[in-house]
Amino acid sequence: MSRDVTSEVLAFIVSRFPQAEVTESEDIFSLGYVNSLFAMELVMFLEKTFEITIPNEELRIDNFRTALAMADLIGRRSADAVGIAP
Amino acid sequence: MSTAYEVTSEEEAAGRSHLRSFDRGAVREFVDRHIVPFADMYDRLGRIPDELLDRIAEAGLWAPFLSAEVGGAGLDMVTLGRVHEEVGRGCSSVRSLLTVHTMLAWAVQRWGSPAQRERWLPEVAAGRTLGAFCLSEPGAGSDAAGIVTTAVDHRGGWRLNGTKTWVTGGQRAELFLVFARTATSIGAFLVPRSTSGVSVQPIDDMLGTRASMLAEITFRDVLLDADALLGPSGFTAGMVLTGTLDLGRYSVAAGSVGIIQACLDACAAYTATRTVGGTQLRHLPLIQAKISDMVTDVRAARMLVEEAGRLKDAGDADTIMATWVAKYFASTAAARHAGEAVQVHGAGGCSPRHPVARLYRDSKVMEIIEGSNEIQRLTIAAAAYQGRAA
Ligand SMILES: Cc1cc2nc3c(=O)[nH]c(=O)nc-3n(C[C@H](O)[C@H](O)[C@H](O)COP(=O)(O)OP(=O)(O)OC[C@H]3O[C@@H](n4cnc5c(N)ncnc54)[C@H](O)[C@@H]3O)c2cc1C
């Protein structure tokens, strides 16, 4: 599951930056790709694709540095969503 | 079936006019009754009277996309786009006020803490507090990264200093969404007009949207509580600005569709009555060509706006680019057709006798605000080179 999540996240990043060669543990900030437009698109993509909500306090740089970190975040938020489901 | 704009006799007597539905027909009726007949007068006055602002509040049109819990109607984005198109058909100054209020209301809903939402959303949903959007500065417009207004840590809160300009609704709004440089990023701050150190200087006599009550606003050592900051700090702080501008752009795109429709309506009516050499204008092929281009572009622009709206409703990240494209297409088409609409009306089109002179002036503004034409083309081209043109 986490593998699929990670590769979906990677696929999104590459769709926005086709010239990028990004691995799952690579810091996307250090590659200089992140601007506010991309950040917005990325958060919308994660929220829609994985049916999660990312609250302000989770919008920390460490949660978005790598595809792996994002997969972790998605895992946590999905678990939370299950926890509060009626 | 009763979906249209309805007024009961008691409401009528009390001068109230609730909108019971937000479908196009209902909003059109509201606009035709309360806005269209007065738009040229507002343009000359250079302001929108409180009476209309109150009517819009009573109709629930200020921020109907907010949830019912806070007094909104939970309206989807496609329908909101239609509402803004209809209002834009009637008067771009009124639509501009709706746009900036929408931007602030959405930002609070999307990014606000529970306390900020509780404090402000019922106010903005009801239109008791009108919002304005303060990004541009005397030295920075397209280049938002060039803003020099600062928000500095001050005893656990913030101290705000700087000048914002071209603020739509600034003369009238009670709550400003102000973008300022912090130590780490550009932050968004909710600043009530009544805060000490805020001063508002009206800007009059603009080329277009003359009744949108623009202002220059100065913040001099304005002290704010910590919770004036809206949304996350750090790398995602820019998302507040990006998301807010995206919605503003959507509203301006929809408003531009309204301008094209108004041009078409005016030209269709005028060419049916005006004769040259014994022939009605409507029978002349060159006039028909202009009308057919208006019909085609209004439909195309409307579809682009609807597509952007559908993507917003689906939470799809592609909405941002779809909105750029819709706004670019609709605003340039509006400016083109407003020019032709004046042409079709001849000298009368240059006079206050017909609305097309106002539409012409207003349409020019659409090519500058919420991302000028040049910035739109740069952004769309950048996406094309990412292989996202289709
Ligand atoms: C009626 C009206 C209402 C407004 N309301 C608001 C409001 O409510 N809140 C707010 O914050 N602002 C508002 N604005 C300001 C508006 O957002 C700015 O005018 C707009 O962003 C452009 O900035 P500028 O006027 O400083 O032009 P500049 O940024 O100085 O640009 C001047 C010209 O250069 C072009 N240009 C800039 N960069 C490039 C580039 N890289 N390549 C090619 N060409 C370029 C621009 O397209 C423009 O044609 C309003 C403006 C108007 C006219």
Side-chain angles (χ1 to χ4, degrees):
Chain A
M1 145 86 178
S2 167
R3 261 251 56 80
D4 294 349
V5 170
T6 311
S7 32
E8 264 195 83
V9 172
L10 267 181
F12 179 79
I13 297 169
V14 174
S15 78
R16 290 310 190 244
F17 302 102
Q19 74 281 25
E21 283 176 29
V22 195
T23 63
E24 59 185 30
S25 57
E26 199 147 5
D27 183 343
I28 59 170
F29 289 85
S30 69
L31 298 172
Y33 292 133
V34 182
N35 58 22
S36 62
L37 175 60
F38 175 68
M40 179 89 196
E41 290 183 325
L42 180 61
V43 171
M44 287 181 79
F45 165 77
L46 297 179
E47 291 193 331
K48 174 170 189 271
T49 309
F50 303 104
E51 297 179 348
I52 54 168
T53 307
I54 308 176
N56 288 353
E57 59 275 16
E58 291 275 31
L59 291 169
R60 292 188 312 269
I61 194 164
D62 287 340
N63 282 337
F64 293 86
R65 267 193 204 289
T66 65
L68 281 175
M70 287 183 247
D72 266 1
L73 170 70
I74 293 159
R76 274 202 315 280
R77 297 307 308 167
S78 310
D80 277 6
V82 172
I84 58 164
Chain B
M1 197 182 75
S2 165
T3 53
Y5 160 77
E6 296 168 23
V7 190
T8 64
S9 50
E10 303 89 72
E11 284 167 349
E12 183 77 79
R16 282 193 282 118
S17 45
H18 291 256
L19 212 61
R20 298 229 168 79
S21 148
F22 294 95
D23 72 10
R24 193 185 282 283
V27 179
R28 180 174 295 156
E29 225 175 307
F30 178 91
V31 170
D32 283 345
R33 181 159 166 188
H34 296 300
I35 298 181
V36 170
F38 312 106
D40 287 326
M41 181 186 77
Y42 302 152
D43 187 61
R44 280 195 289 280
L45 274 177
R47 68 185 180 82
I48 304 296
D50 279 358
E51 189 195 354
L52 177 60
L53 303 179
D54 291 345
R55 270 194 197 285
I56 293 171
E58 284 157 9
L61 284 172
W62 280 114
F65 58 91
L66 292 175
S67 69
E69 279 160 42
V70 297
L75 206 65
D76 60 273
M77 285 292 149
V78 170
T79 312
L80 186 76
R82 292 178 189 146
V83 170
H84 286 209
E85 179 197 323
E86 284 301 324
V87 174
R89 179 179 60 82
C91 174
S92 290
S93 291
V94 178
R95 201 269 313 134
S96 294
L97 297 180
L98 270 192
T99 300
V100 291
H101 185 77
T102 297
M103 293 163 84
L104 178 138
W106 179 85
V108 175
Q109 169 170 268
R110 173 68 179 85
W111 300 107
S113 64
Q116 286 167 329
R117 291 207 292 264
E118 194 180 326
R119 166 82 184 85
W120 293 116
L121 288 184
E123 286 293 308
V124 298
R128 283 190 296 274
T129 297
L130 295 188
F133 171 80
C134 308
L135 174 65
S136 302
E137 298 183 358
S142 307
D143 175 25
I147 64 170
V148 295
T149 295
T150 53
V152 179
D153 278 343
H154 178 81
R155 297 188 186 152
W158 301 95
R159 190 172 61 216
L160 188 66
N161 273 296
T163 299
K164 296 294 179 179
T165 193
W166 314 122
V167 177
T168 296
Q171 293 177 34
R172 183 62 180 65
E174 289 95 5
L175 184 61
F176 302 125
L177 181 62
V178 183
F179 290 85
R181 201 161 274 297
T182 66
T184 54
S185 56
I186 290 179
F189 296 85
L190 288 168
V191 184
R193 182 199 191 97
S194 57
T195 318
S196 173
V198 176
S199 57
V200 176
Q201 189 65 38
I203 302 175
D204 295 321
D205 273 338
M206 295 296 286
L207 169 75
T209 61
R210 289 171 63 84
S212 61
M213 300 183 280
L214 260 59
E216 180 155 300
I217 304 180
T218 305
F219 303 91
R220 194 162 295 127
D221 286 328
V222 173
L223 298 182
L224 302 168
D225 291 339
D227 71 355
L229 177 68
L230 184 70
S233 50
F235 91 99
T236 46
M239 289 168 59
V240 180
L241 178 57
T242 307
T244 309
L245 280 172
D246 171 63
L247 192 55
R249 211 166 280 135
Y250 179 63
S251 167
V252 171
S256 299
V257 177
I259 292 177
I260 309 172
Q261 185 67 54
C263 290
L264 174 58
D265 295 346
C267 288
Y270 185 71
T271 57
T273 55
R274 177 75 177 174
T275 54
V276 287
T279 310
Q280 282 178 347
L281 283 178
R282 61 185 284 180
H283 296 304
L284 304 177
L286 281 176
I287 297 293
Q288 291 173 346
K290 294 179 204 286
I291 299 283
S292 82
D293 288 355
M294 287 180 197
V295 170
T296 307
D297 280 351
V298 80
R299 293 177 71 154
R302 188 174 286 133
M303 286 169 74
L304 287 173
V305 172
E306 296 229 359
E307 183 202 21
R310 272 194 302 278
L311 291 167
K312 284 187 201 315
D313 285 327
D316 192 319
D318 286 342
T319 187
I320 296 177
M321 195 46 60
T323 302
W324 276 106
V325 171
K327 197 269 179 174
Y328 176 55
F329 185 87
S331 64
T332 50
R336 197 165 55 244
H337 293 305
E340 290 290 27
V342 171
Q343 193 72 15
V344 165
H345 284 69
C350 302
S351 78
R353 248 187 285 153
H354 297 283
V356 290
R358 169 172 53 82
L359 297 171
Y360 179 66
R361 291 183 284 96
D362 289 350
S363 69
K364 185 63 214 171
V365 171
M366 304 310 128
E367 295 195 306
I368 294 173
I369 54 173
E370 309 292 352
S372 67
N373 275 1
E374 288 73 23
I375 300 299
Q376 287 163 27
R377 291 163 106 175
L378 291 176
T379 311
I380 294 166
Y385 287 116
Q386 287 172 356
R388 292 202 283 145

